[in-house]
Amino acid sequence: MSWRGAAYETKSRGQARPANAGPSRTRRPDEPISSIEDNSQQSEERDSVRSSTPSVSVNTPDGSETRFPNTSLQNPSSALPEQDDAENVSHRFQGLRLGTHSSPSSSQGLDLGSMRAALPSVESASPRQTPLLLAGGSPASFGGRRRRSSSVDIRPYNVRDEVPPQDRFHNSEFQRAFAHAKSLMGRLTEVLGSSTLPLEPDSVIRSLRDKAEELSHFRCPPTRTVGLVGDSGAGKSSLLNSLLDFHGLARTSNSGAACTCVVTEYRHHDSADFVVDVVVFTEDELQDQFRNMVHAYRYNYFHSADMESQEERLHWADQAKLASDTFKAMFGDRFTADLLCSVNSETRIVRTLLRWAVDSSPIRDIDKHAVKNSLEDCSELLMKLTSDHGAAHGPAHWPYIKNISVHLDSYIVSKGLVLVDLPGLRDLNSARRNITERYLLDCDEIFIICPIGRAVTDEGVMNVVERARQARLSNISIICTKSDQIRADEAQRDWRGAQAAEIQRRKDLLATAEGELAKIREPLDELNDLDDLFEEEEIQKARLYERLERKGAEIENIKFELQRYMITERNALVESELQALYRDKIPGGVLYVFCASNTLYWDKRNLRSRVRALPFLELSGIVAIRRHCMALVSESQLRAASKYLRDDIPNLLSNIKLWVRTGLESADAGRKQAVQKAISLFGDRLRTALVGNSSPLDDLSQALIDTFDDRVYQRRQIARWTEGAVQAGQVWSSVTTYAAFCRQYGTYTTAAVGYHCWNEEAMKTMNGDLAHPWDNLQEEVQRLLHNTRVAISETQDRVVSRYLDIALQDFPDSIHPLRNALKSRRRILVGDVEELGAAFEAEVSKLRTKALSGLRTSYFGESMELSYWKANCEHGPGSWARKKGIINGTLGNEQLFRELMRKFKCNFGELATQLDSDVLASVEEYLEDIENTLDMIRSENVVQESERDPEFKARVAHEADELEKAMEYGVKPVLRELGLD
């Protein structure tokens, strides 16, 4: 007999009374309903329900407290998501109050039959079986009820709530001061606009109002570029989607064999729409690509049978296929291979293809500056621009596109970053591969993307690290994707030892919990088999669902902890191996390694509660990568924000105070005229001191050029360097894989000889001779730039002390704000010059890479390009000797190094001249601002303007005083505390 039959004797009108029922007892409001722990306790449970049916309440819209036991997990950070079923159950219970027929609430509430109706229908899924727990499912999907608690954070996840890096820029006090200052500028803008005076085009107060408005909208400029590079399928696009927090924005796979990635930049703009800017290849750039592809196809077609090795035949077959696929994508059915195989010359074929490209390019019909209102529309446009459509849809766009910029309102790029999706360095399309190599030199951080399963052996990672080493780039990080792809049985087999034992322990916990779950299902299944339940049975069923929910949550938690353990352990293992492989190859020896799962991120990103989502998102690794990216811009953002608080706002405030005090000074007309003349003399003297023949800026570019000439150019030893290159070429001549290295333009890895970069080895003597002179050059450049900044400061101080104090002796109220304005403006100028100097040093560092590295896009690599190409075109008997003759002949020509040094000197001179021009432009802007500031005192028009609206002038004066106090007591202490004053 079932437990139900033994416990009950009669059933009438939906009510039941236990056979051995004792005196009725009313349950206290705070008395919890006992739970059913096992079958041995069922008799006790039946005894407890002999009394009147206890009152059971749930959360109501007005926030009344539930009386169901709290089944939330002990550790909220490990709490797992609750899905739509749980939400539906909760909503169905909202407002319900259940009680006995005799209870006061019965007339206002529902009976237990209604409670059952509020539960999810078990029979709808499986008529006679308790719902099974699905991996990754919600505990609430059993039909249990979820109770809301005011102590649980049910807000959805928001990227903007992520914990920022712990640095000075993200310091909470600094951020509050920064935000407060911007709000003060907004208030000041309103006050400065509260008169008709700013409506006059040439009014001074209008220019001050415009400046205040500009400062109220101040944003730190984008200062860091992060490039993501990796082989096809590594997960770059998916990672970008996760970092940007826009699901499905970037395409996640190539749809055509010839469809390589297009350089795609992601930049910020403060708008909800998406703006896509497209830059296309020029005709000359297309012609170069066509020439290489036509030659590759024809060479493979006419000479494949004469090639010496299977490897060589495969190389040219791949190049031919790339050419054919690209031309089909560009021209559709108009292109046939017969054109490439014809008797026409390669030049004539290239001319024909170029004419087709110009006449029928689909890119002509594309808006180069497209604005899209939705994520879906933007994603569709990107897909159109970067994928093949097939002949039915017309020619593809991607072969014509050089790069794409996407402007969007994403949190990570709003912090000053530009994220760039780059083609792989092993791309068969040499034009796009070279674009990537050049772009890497401009990146402030390089993320090498690879799947975690092959991270340690990934050739793409090694390829980028080696190029970074040649370019002396120290800003390298590795991101291993697909970190969630790990199975317990495989991990247990691979790891063994303590890790395997820990996995087994967690698996045993899971098996035990699932066994306990099965025991709870048994009485539930029997109750679900019954068509009509006693009220006491309804209570029993509710309790069982309670237990089922708690046990389900426990199981899901065990699963999550097992997953977290395996992912964390595997991540640490991979990071350790990658550090051992590559850390010493990176200048500075600092290598960051991250592991990420885009699948885990998006599976849990939109859970209803951020508390439930956060453990998964942290485990996905995306949050940590975003935090690292934000830290990259912290110092540059700190400098910009500090300049804003320390110099830009005080400079505006000083000018406003000068405007307010204009006309308040008392002096006779003759004295005023003398003051105006003295102030004009001060302005003239300052201009002469800064941009005259004897100014500290007069010979800056020439001093830099002379330093380069003395430290580097005069140290050239062309004959010695040529000899070293010839000797390197002779060493290569003995390797059996000579042809393979030629096909890879000198940079390759083989099992027989390992990794070699012929260009780098040919330049070894040259680099050895110039290493110390280059260090001396860098030191001298830094000294010259430092002296320039000091001279600018000292020049202004000298002119101010000599000419300004005497000029304003009859205007004492104007001396202080004018001095403050000059001081802050001087600091702005010095800061600008410092930034220009830093940018110059960065460009000089890139120039060193172009001149002294063996990269394919370096001066040396570009000079060797034609020789490698000619060597690759040699085939048939004796081709090996001819290949060596071509390469060695180029290396033995002294013109190779002579031309290299000429380019080096010429480009350094261009950089120095550009720096001189930029510094002078900053000085001119500074002098123009100083002239405008001086006009506050000497211009009669300004005097008349300031006196036309006394009430307005009083408001401005009051606001300026309040702003000064706010800056003095609210902002400056923070700057001092952080060492930024």
Side-chain angles (χ1 to χ4, degrees):
M1 178 182 295
S2 70
W3 64 267
R4 180 176 185 265
Y8 297 96
E9 295 179 347
T10 62
K11 182 177 181 179
S12 174
R13 299 177 184 173
Q15 290 184 295
R17 181 175 179 82
N20 55 350
S24 174
R25 179 178 67 87
T26 302
R27 185 177 61 85
R28 296 191 311 273
D30 60 346
E31 180 180 348
I33 300 175
S34 57
S35 61
I36 303 173
E37 295 301 331
D38 52 41
N39 291 335
S40 65
Q41 296 175 330
Q42 289 171 1
S43 61
E44 297 178 353
E45 195 64 52
R46 288 193 296 274
D47 290 341
S48 70
V49 300
R50 293 173 184 169
S51 58
S52 299
T53 305
S55 175
V56 182
S57 64
V58 298
N59 282 339
T60 60
D62 63 359
S64 57
E65 184 179 359
T66 179
R67 292 182 188 157
F68 286 110
N70 186 355
T71 58
S72 61
L73 296 177
Q74 292 296 318
N75 181 6
S77 66
S78 301
L80 298 179
E82 303 198 27
Q83 308 290 344
D84 291 342
D85 283 346
E87 290 288 343
N88 293 336
V89 172
S90 178
H91 287 307
R92 284 196 289 264
F93 272 110
Q94 293 295 319
L96 305 186
R97 185 169 296 278
L98 312 177
T100 64
H101 287 288
S102 60
S103 69
S105 63
S106 63
S107 63
Q108 301 174 3
L110 299 175
D111 59 15
L112 291 174
S114 299
M115 174 181 171
R116 184 181 185 188
L119 293 168
S121 174
V122 177
E123 289 80 358
S124 63
S126 178
R128 298 299 181 191
Q129 186 176 4
T130 302
L132 295 175
L133 177 66
L134 300 177
S138 165
S141 62
F142 293 105
R145 294 142 295 169
R146 187 178 74 176
R147 285 146 311 279
R148 300 186 184 273
S149 171
S150 60
S151 63
V152 178
D153 188 350
I154 59 173
R155 292 176 299 163
Y157 189 81
N158 190 329
V159 173
R160 299 175 189 274
D161 294 333
E162 291 179 357
V163 178
Q166 301 303 302
D167 51 46
R168 289 191 298 173
F169 178 68
H170 292 96
N171 176 278
S172 59
E173 291 296 325
F174 181 83
Q175 286 295 319
R176 276 194 288 270
F178 187 26
H180 182 52
K182 292 175 67 175
S183 69
L184 291 175
M185 289 296 99
R187 195 175 72 189
L188 178 62
T189 302
E190 294 179 1
V191 173
L192 293 175
S194 63
S195 171
T196 58
L197 292 177
L199 300 178
E200 300 174 8
D202 298 328
S203 70
V204 173
I205 199 65
R206 174 172 180 160
S207 64
L208 295 175
R209 191 204 67 83
D210 291 346
K211 183 63 177 179
E213 184 176 30
E214 177 187 334
L215 293 179
S216 71
H217 297 296
F218 174 83
R219 298 185 70 95
C220 295
T223 55
R224 290 293 181 269
T225 300
V226 177
L228 285 75
V229 61
D231 292 342
S232 177
K236 286 182 301 177
S237 297
S238 296
L239 179 63
L240 275 164
N241 288 339
S242 298
L243 293 177
L244 293 166
D245 201 45
F246 280 101
H247 191 230
L249 173 62
R251 57 191 292 258
T252 57
S253 64
N254 293 332
S255 59
C259 181
T260 57
C261 293
V262 173
V263 172
T264 307
E265 301 175 345
Y266 295 89
R267 298 175 174 271
H268 181 257
H269 76 162
D270 196 12
S271 176
D273 57 18
F274 300 80
V275 177
V276 179
D277 292 325
V278 179
V279 178
V280 300
F281 285 112
T282 65
E283 288 187 27
D284 289 342
E285 289 170 330
L286 285 176
Q287 185 174 0
D288 290 341
Q289 294 184 52
F290 290 173
R291 186 182 297 112
N292 290 334
M293 288 188 288
V294 168
H295 173 79
Y297 189 95
R298 288 169 66 85
Y299 186 81
N300 179 72
Y301 181 80
F302 290 114
H303 303 295
S304 178
D306 301 328
M307 294 177 188
E308 296 180 343
S309 67
Q310 178 67 16
E311 184 182 8
E312 186 176 11
R313 284 191 287 273
L314 289 175
H315 167 79
W316 285 106
D318 288 341
Q319 293 293 326
K321 186 176 188 303
L322 171 68
S324 177
D325 289 344
T326 301
F327 291 142
K328 286 179 182 177
M330 295 182 77
F331 307 119
D333 293 338
R334 188 176 187 181
F335 168 81
T336 63
D338 293 342
L339 173 65
L340 301 181
C341 303
S342 67
V343 296
N344 294 325
S345 67
E346 291 185 4
T347 301
R348 185 172 181 179
I349 295 172
V350 169
R351 198 159 46 238
T352 298
L353 293 171
L354 187 61
R355 186 175 66 252
W356 290 357
V358 173
D359 293 343
S360 59
S361 169
I363 211 69
R364 294 184 307 173
D365 302 326
I366 291 294
D367 187 354
K368 306 301 190 302
H369 180 78
V371 179
K372 298 298 179 181
N373 295 322
S374 69
L375 172 64
E376 292 74 17
D377 290 345
C378 181
S379 179
E380 183 178 347
L381 175 60
L382 291 177
M383 179 68 76
K384 180 179 181 180
L385 294 174
T386 57
S387 66
D388 284 325
H389 297 286
H393 297 85
H397 300 83
W398 65 263
Y400 299 90
I401 298 175
K402 189 173 186 177
N403 70 278
I404 298 172
S405 293
V406 182
H407 302 261
L408 69 170
D409 187 15
S410 168
Y411 181 67
I412 187 173
V413 293
S414 73
K415 297 305 178 181
L417 285 171
V418 177
L419 298 182
V420 189
D421 188 359
L422 295 168
L425 283 171
R426 297 196 296 166
D427 196 311
L428 290 177
N429 187 313
S430 60
R432 298 185 185 278
R433 181 182 58 241
N434 290 346
I435 288 174
T436 295
E437 189 168 277
R438 293 189 183 99
Y439 210 110
L440 290 178
L441 299 182
D442 294 324
C443 289
D444 299 287
E445 184 85 0
I446 299 168
F447 286 157
I448 309 173
I449 316 300
C450 64
I452 196 169
R454 63 170 189 263
V456 177
T457 58
D458 195 291
E459 290 186 13
V461 176
M462 183 193 70
N463 200 277
V464 179
V465 170
E466 286 296 340
R467 279 172 165 79
R469 179 190 60 78
Q470 292 181 45
R472 301 170 66 88
L473 301 176
S474 59
N475 49 350
I476 303 297
S477 298
I478 299 175
I479 298 180
C480 304
T481 58
K482 306 176 183 179
S483 65
D484 64 309
Q485 295 184 4
I486 183 170
R487 295 172 56 88
D489 53 349
E490 293 176 357
Q492 199 171 5
R493 184 174 58 252
D494 294 341
W495 291 346
R496 305 181 182 280
Q499 292 170 316
E502 179 61 21
I503 293 176
Q504 186 60 50
R505 185 185 73 82
R506 294 173 185 270
K507 288 170 64 178
D508 291 344
L509 285 175
L510 180 61
T512 299
E514 288 177 338
E516 293 170 350
L517 185 73
K519 291 181 180 180
I520 298 173
R521 285 200 185 102
E522 293 176 2
L524 262 179
D525 288 342
E526 188 168 349
L527 287 172
N528 285 333
D529 285 338
L530 301 176
D531 295 328
D532 191 14
L533 297 179
F534 299 123
E535 291 180 356
E536 288 81 355
E537 290 172 325
E538 292 281 8
I539 296 296
Q540 294 288 89
K541 185 174 180 179
R543 291 170 180 160
L544 287 169
Y545 271 119
E546 293 266 345
R547 289 192 61 216
L548 197 67
E549 178 179 337
R550 289 197 298 272
K551 187 58 64 176
E554 178 186 341
I555 289 173
E556 289 305 299
N557 193 45
I558 294 172
K559 288 182 178 181
F560 172 71
E561 291 298 337
L562 174 60
Q563 182 186 34
R564 177 154 60 185
Y565 176 79
M566 292 190 298
I567 290 176
T568 303
E569 289 294 311
R570 201 260 299 272
N571 289 355
L573 178 64
V574 170
E575 178 181 356
S576 176
E577 292 177 332
L578 290 174
Q579 292 281 2
L581 278 173
Y582 296 121
R583 183 173 53 204
D584 293 340
K585 295 184 178 181
I586 295 174
V590 178
L591 173 66
Y592 292 100
V593 177
F594 300 93
C595 300
S597 167
N598 300 299
T599 301
L600 186 59
Y601 180 82
W602 287 113
D603 280 351
K604 309 301 181 182
R605 166 64 179 82
N606 294 317
L607 293 178
R608 296 180 186 275
S609 167
R610 65 189 300 273
V611 174
R612 307 276 180 171
L614 188 58
F616 292 104
L617 303 187
E618 291 282 2
L619 185 60
S620 76
I622 300 300
V623 175
I625 298 172
R626 250 196 310 255
R627 189 177 299 122
H628 174 77
C629 289
M630 291 173 62
L632 296 175
V633 301
S634 291
E635 277 305 310
S636 60
Q637 302 291 70
L638 181 68
R639 287 195 299 271
S642 300
K643 173 178 171 290
Y644 170 79
L645 297 173
R646 186 186 59 237
D647 300 323
D648 292 339
I649 292 178
N651 182 60
L652 173 62
L653 183 59
S654 297
N655 281 297
I656 291 173
K657 288 200 165 189
L658 281 173
W659 182 87
V660 168
R661 293 176 182 179
T662 297
L664 297 180
E665 308 280 9
S666 60
D668 57 57
R671 188 55 187 155
K672 284 186 177 181
Q673 186 176 5
V675 168
Q676 291 171 350
K677 183 177 180 180
I679 289 177
S680 296
L681 178 62
F682 164 75
D684 293 340
R685 294 297 185 185
L686 185 61
R687 172 174 289 276
T688 301
L690 288 176
V691 297
N693 293 334
S694 60
S695 80
L697 307 177
D698 182 50
D699 59 352
L700 176 59
S701 61
Q702 191 58 52
L704 290 169
I705 292 171
D706 290 345
T707 299
F708 178 86
D709 189 70
D710 179 59
R711 297 291 194 275
V712 176
Y713 191 70
Q714 295 301 331
R715 307 299 177 92
R716 65 192 187 282
Q717 301 183 56
I718 303 300
R720 170 178 159 79
W721 299 345
T722 302
E723 178 65 23
V726 169
Q727 291 177 2
Q730 291 173 348
V731 173
W732 310 335
S733 298
S734 62
V735 302
T736 57
T737 53
Y738 194 92
F741 273 89
C742 287
R743 288 193 295 272
Q744 300 300 325
Y745 289 77
T747 301
Y748 196 45
T749 302
T750 67
V753 299
Y755 172 84
H756 284 277
C757 175
W758 285 0
N759 293 346
E760 186 179 25
E761 292 167 12
M763 300 176 69
K764 185 176 181 179
T765 303
M766 174 188 178
N767 279 318
D769 288 345
L770 292 182
H772 185 63
W774 182 263
D775 291 340
N776 290 338
L777 171 68
Q778 287 183 306
E779 293 176 1
E780 185 64 17
V781 166
Q782 290 171 359
R783 187 188 66 81
L784 286 170
L785 294 176
H786 172 74
N787 290 346
T788 299
R789 296 193 298 271
V790 171
I792 289 173
S793 294
E794 292 178 346
T795 297
Q796 180 186 285
D797 290 344
R798 184 174 65 253
V799 176
V800 168
S801 63
R802 185 171 180 181
Y803 295 99
L804 192 62
D805 291 345
I806 297 176
L808 293 178
Q809 60 185 356
D810 289 337
F811 292 83
D813 289 343
S814 297
I815 290 179
H816 180 67
L818 180 57
R819 277 187 171 277
N820 285 343
L822 293 172
K823 180 181 178 181
S824 58
R825 197 60 190 84
R826 182 199 65 192
R827 291 180 63 164
I828 292 173
L829 172 61
V830 172
D832 290 344
V833 173
E834 184 175 10
E835 289 183 5
L836 290 172
F840 173 76
E841 291 187 72
E843 290 300 319
V844 168
S845 180
K846 295 175 189 176
L847 178 61
R848 183 204 179 281
T849 297
K850 293 178 182 177
L852 303 181
S853 77
L855 296 175
R856 188 169 171 181
T857 53
S858 68
Y859 296 155
F860 191 92
E862 289 174 345
S863 297
M864 292 293 297
E865 184 89 2
L866 182 60
S867 299
Y868 285 124
W869 185 80
K870 289 180 178 179
N872 289 332
C873 292
E874 293 294 334
H875 61 278
S879 61
W880 189 59
R882 293 194 296 273
K883 291 177 189 290
K884 289 193 297 181
I886 292 170
I887 300 299
N888 290 338
T890 302
L891 295 176
N893 188 345
E894 291 187 354
Q895 188 63 22
L896 178 66
F897 288 102
R898 187 172 289 112
E899 180 63 18
L900 187 155
M901 289 301 293
R902 187 196 67 79
K903 285 183 179 180
F904 201 1
K905 180 179 179 179
C906 180
N907 286 348
F908 184 90
E910 291 174 353
L911 291 176
T913 301
Q914 185 62 50
L915 172 65
D916 205 354
S917 176
D918 291 341
V919 169
L920 286 175
S922 292
V923 171
E924 285 293 340
E925 181 181 356
Y926 160 79
L927 291 172
E928 183 179 352
D929 284 349
I930 295 299
E931 288 291 327
N932 293 334
T933 299
L934 297 178
D935 281 343
M936 298 284 187
I937 300 173
R938 65 187 175 187
S939 173
E940 288 296 331
N941 291 333
V942 176
V943 174
Q944 295 173 9
E945 177 183 292
S946 68
E947 295 177 342
R948 282 169 53 191
D949 191 340
E951 293 183 1
F952 170 66
K953 188 171 187 175
R955 289 197 301 273
V956 173
H958 175 74
E959 185 64 26
D961 289 339
E962 292 298 310
L963 193 152
E964 186 174 46
K965 292 176 184 177
M967 295 295 292
E968 184 66 33
Y969 297 107
V971 175
K972 288 185 178 180
V974 176
L975 295 178
R976 282 194 295 270
E977 180 69 22
L978 296 176
L980 301 170
D981 55 344

